[in-house]
């Protein structure tokens, strides 16, 4: 169940990712806050993207300030995604770590 403080877009993404990540056992209850923060950044990113699309890249001859905000939200998403194993490289690192843990178990 997504946290109530997430907006509707973030809650929908939370449900989608939670189902996916739980099915492959990449997260557990301890990761819920982290997933919620990723989903919040995702929702913010989409909101900023809509603002840019609506107002354009330039406002009064200056770059739209939502461009920088969108960039910051994307950076937050990348950071949380890596921690949650949402990127291919993060999953590869997790697989290597899991494989090495399995090898260690053979010693006993």
């Amino acid at each position: 169940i997504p946290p109530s403080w997430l907006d509707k877009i973030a809650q929908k993404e939370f449900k989608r990712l939670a189902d996916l990540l739980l099915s492959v056992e990449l997260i557990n209850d301890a990761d819920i806050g982290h997933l919620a923060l990723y989903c919040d950044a995702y929702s913010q990113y989409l909101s900023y993207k809509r603002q840019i699309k609506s107002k354009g890249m330039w406002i009064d001859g200056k770059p739209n300030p939502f461009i920088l905000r969108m960039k910051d939200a994307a950076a937050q998403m990348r950071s949380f995604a890596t921690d949650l194993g949402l990127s291919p490289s993060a999953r590869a690192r997790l697989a290597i770590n899991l494989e090495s843990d399995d090898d260690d178990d053979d010693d006993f």
Side-chain angles (χ1 to χ4, degrees):
I1 297 173
S4 60
W5 55 267
L6 290 174
D7 65 22
K8 290 195 184 299
I9 291 171
Q11 286 185 11
K12 184 177 178 182
E13 182 68 355
F14 182 97
K15 289 174 187 174
R16 184 185 77 82
L17 286 176
D19 289 345
L20 177 69
L21 294 172
L22 287 169
S23 73
V24 294
E25 299 179 352
L26 277 179
I27 64 168
N28 60 36
D29 287 344
D31 302 313
I32 297 302
H34 216 73
L35 179 58
L37 290 171
Y38 169 87
C39 294
D40 189 46
Y42 170 80
S43 179
Q44 288 175 17
Y45 178 90
L46 293 178
S47 174
Y48 301 148
K49 183 122 180 120
R50 283 190 300 275
Q51 289 290 333
I52 294 166
K53 187 175 182 179
S54 166
K55 305 218 186 295
M57 298 293 284
W58 298 89
I59 299 175
D60 297 329
K62 298 177 186 171
N64 187 327
F66 284 104
I67 294 169
L68 185 56
R69 291 181 182 166
M70 190 175 81
K71 181 181 173 187
D72 290 343
Q76 288 178 336
M77 288 171 55
R78 276 191 303 277
S79 176
F80 292 129
T82 298
D83 291 346
L84 292 165
L86 294 175
S87 70
S89 61
R91 285 190 300 278
R93 281 192 302 276
L94 286 171
I96 290 168
N97 288 340
L98 289 174
E99 187 176 296
S100 97
D101 287 349
D102 288 345
D103 291 345
D104 292 345
D105 291 345
D106 292 342
D107 294 340
F108 293 103

